[in-house]
Amino acid sequence: MTHRRDLSLRALAGRHILFLSTLVSSCLSFVLGLLLAVHLGAHDYGVYAAALALTAYVSIAADGGWLAAAARHLTRPLSQVDRRAGVTAAWLLMIGAAISCSGLTVLVALIAGRWMPEETSHLLLVVSPLAGATIAPYFYEQLLKSSGRTGLLAAVTMTSRGLSLVGVLVVVAVGGGPTAALIVTLVATLVAGALALLGEPLGLSGLRATRSAVRREHRTFGRQLYIGRTFNLLAFRADVVLLTMSFPPASVAQYVLATSMLSPVAMFGQASASTRFRAMRDAAPDTSWARRLALVAVVLALLACGVGALSVWWPLGRAYEPLLPLLPLVAVAAVLQAAYQPANSWLLANGEGPRLRRLLLVAGTVNLLANLALVPWLGGMGGALGSITGNASYLWLARRACRAGASERLSAASG
C-alpha cells in the first residue's frame, strides 16, 4: 500500500513538474521568437520560419507509424531487461526516421523550389542533414510518456528550449542570419535528447523478440494511426506551406509569430494529456477533467493575446502590426486544439487505431479544404480560419469516438 501511494505521489509530482515546465518552456519559445523577429526583421524571419515549418512538415511522414507502435509496446508491463530492449528498438526507429526526414527535405527543396522563394529552398538544402531533429520532440514524448516519466519529459523539453535560447542569443550577438538561427534551433533539440537517453537506459538482451512485438503493434495499431495521422497533420499544417507558396516571407513571419504566441495554449493541453497517458489505458474517459482543461486553456489564450499585443507595440514595432488581427482567431484555434487533447490521448492509450484513422482522415480533409479555399485568398487570416474549422471538427469527432469506444468496452466487460 505504501509503495503504491509513493508511486501515486511521484506521478502527481511529475504532472505538476511537466505542467510548470511547459509554461516556462513556452515563455522561452516566445522570447526566442521575439529575439529572432526583432534581430532578423520581417523578411528574414519569414525565411527562417518557413524553412523550419517545412522541415517539420516533412517530418510528419518520416516515421511510418513505428514510433507510436514502439511507445504502445512500452506501455505494457515489462521486465527491466525487456524495457531496455524496447527503448533500444525505439531509438533505432528514431534514427531511421531522422535519416528519412533528411532525405525527404532534400527532395522537397529540389522539387518544390520553383514554387517557393529561392532563399527558403536554399536554406532547406543547407540544413537538410539536421532536418531529422524536427521529429525528435515527437519521439521524446512518445518514449517518455509510455513509462509515465513526465518529470524527465519536462527536463528534456526545458533543456531543448534553454539551449535554443542560448544559441539564438549567440546568433544575435554575432549578427548571424536565418541559416545560423535555424541550425542552432535544430542542434539544441538533438542535444536535449541526451537526457532522454540517460533517463531510459538501453539494452540489447531480448532485442529480437522486442522487435517482433513492435512489428505486431505496428500491424494492429501503428499502421492505422500513421495513415490517419500523416494525412491529418499534412492537412493541418498546410497553412504555412500555402502561405510560403503564395505570399512573401514577411506575411509568413506575421502568421508564424502569431501562432507561436498562442502555442503555449496548445502545449498546455498536450502536456496535461501526456501526464495522464499511462493512466488512461483501460480506464473510462474523464470528462470533468477535460472540461477543466478547456477552461484553463481559455484563460491562457486571453493572457497570450494580451502579451502578444503588447509585444507588437514593443519591442517588435510597426513592421509586425499586421499580426494583431490574427491573434484572436489563432487563440480560438489554440483553445480548440488544447480541448481535444484528452480525447485524442485516450484513443491513443487504448489502441483505438481504426477509430483514430477515420477521425484523422475526416478532420484532416475538412482542414485541408478550408486551407485550400481560404489561404490563397486571405493569407494568414485564411490559415487561422482554416485551423478553427479543422480543430472544431476534430474536437467533435474525437469526443464522439471516445464515447463510442468507452461504450464498447463497458459492454464487453459486462458481457
Side-chain angles (χ1 to χ4, degrees):
M1 180 67 71
T2 302
H3 176 65
R4 194 172 295 175
R5 183 185 176 191
D6 289 343
L7 290 177
S8 178
L9 290 174
R10 191 181 307 166
L12 182 62
R15 292 176 188 175
H16 284 93
I17 291 171
L18 182 58
F19 173 73
L20 291 173
S21 72
T22 300
L23 292 181
V24 174
S25 63
S26 298
C27 292
L28 291 177
S29 296
F30 178 69
V31 172
L32 186 151
L34 286 181
L35 284 172
L36 285 177
V38 172
H39 169 67
L40 296 175
H43 181 274
D44 282 354
Y45 181 72
V47 172
Y48 159 85
L52 181 59
L54 286 167
T55 56
Y57 193 75
V58 169
S59 72
I60 294 169
D63 82 300
W66 287 99
L67 296 182
R72 179 158 171 79
H73 170 71
L74 289 170
T75 62
R76 299 183 180 278
L78 300 172
S79 67
Q80 186 178 29
V81 171
D82 289 340
R83 174 154 193 88
R84 290 188 174 188
V87 172
T88 302
W91 274 99
L92 290 174
L93 291 169
M94 164 59 191
I95 293 171
I99 294 172
S100 298
C101 186
S102 293
L104 288 171
T105 301
V106 173
L107 287 177
V108 168
L110 293 175
I111 296 173
R114 68 185 68 179
W115 297 302
M116 68 178 71
E118 184 179 351
E119 297 159 290
T120 303
S121 59
H122 175 71
L123 182 52
L124 282 176
L125 283 174
V126 171
V127 303
S128 59
L130 295 171
T134 52
I135 204 173
Y138 173 70
F139 167 68
Y140 302 150
E141 181 191 354
Q142 293 292 311
L143 175 66
L144 297 177
K145 77 179 182 182
S146 66
S147 58
R149 301 294 300 275
T150 52
L152 184 56
L153 179 57
V156 172
T157 303
M158 285 283 292
T159 301
S160 176
R161 296 294 188 277
L163 290 174
S164 295
L165 183 58
V166 171
V168 166
L169 287 172
V170 173
V171 170
V172 171
V174 302
T179 302
L182 186 53
I183 288 174
V184 299
T185 302
L186 296 175
V187 169
T189 305
L190 290 175
V191 173
L195 285 178
L197 190 59
L198 292 174
E200 289 283 6
L202 306 177
L204 296 177
S205 180
L207 181 59
R208 180 175 296 179
T210 296
R211 293 174 66 179
S212 298
V214 172
R215 280 196 291 270
R216 287 194 296 271
E217 289 286 2
H218 184 256
R219 285 195 300 270
T220 59
F221 171 69
R223 189 183 300 166
Q224 301 283 351
L225 175 64
Y226 175 74
I227 294 171
R229 176 181 178 271
T230 300
F231 175 76
N232 180 267
L233 289 179
L234 289 175
F236 269 75
R237 297 183 185 177
D239 48 5
V240 178
V241 177
L242 291 170
L243 272 173
T244 301
M245 295 169 59
S246 307
F247 292 87
S251 297
V252 179
Q254 312 291 350
Y255 181 70
V256 170
L257 194 56
T259 55
S260 70
M261 289 174 176
L262 271 300
S263 64
V265 180
M267 287 181 66
F268 159 75
Q270 187 175 5
S272 299
S274 293
T275 62
R276 297 187 175 221
F277 181 79
R278 192 173 177 85
M280 286 179 180
R281 181 164 181 161
D282 300 323
D286 190 343
T287 55
S288 61
W289 168 69
R291 284 193 294 267
R292 292 196 300 272
L293 184 148
L295 181 60
V296 175
V298 171
V299 174
L300 288 176
L302 292 173
L303 290 173
C305 282
V307 174
L310 289 173
S311 67
V312 171
W313 294 325
W314 186 86
L316 291 172
R318 296 179 61 85
Y320 287 93
E321 283 184 358
L323 71 80
L324 286 174
L326 292 173
L327 289 176
L329 295 176
V330 175
V332 174
V335 169
L336 291 170
Q337 185 178 355
Y340 71 61
Q341 295 300 331
N344 192 63
S345 289
W346 188 89
L347 293 168
L348 282 168
N350 287 282
E352 294 282 351
R355 277 197 174 89
L356 272 169
R357 182 190 59 190
R358 291 192 295 270
L359 158 67
L360 293 167
L361 288 174
V362 173
T365 300
V366 171
N367 187 266
L368 180 60
L369 292 175
N371 278 327
L372 289 172
L374 296 173
V375 173
W377 177 35
L378 298 174
M381 297 287 283
L385 292 171
S387 295
I388 291 173
T389 305
N391 288 343
S393 65
Y394 198 112
L395 174 61
W396 181 67
L397 292 167
R399 287 184 172 178
R400 284 191 60 188
C402 270
R403 285 195 296 268
S407 178
E408 284 185 7
R409 290 169 183 274
L410 182 62
S411 299
S414 60

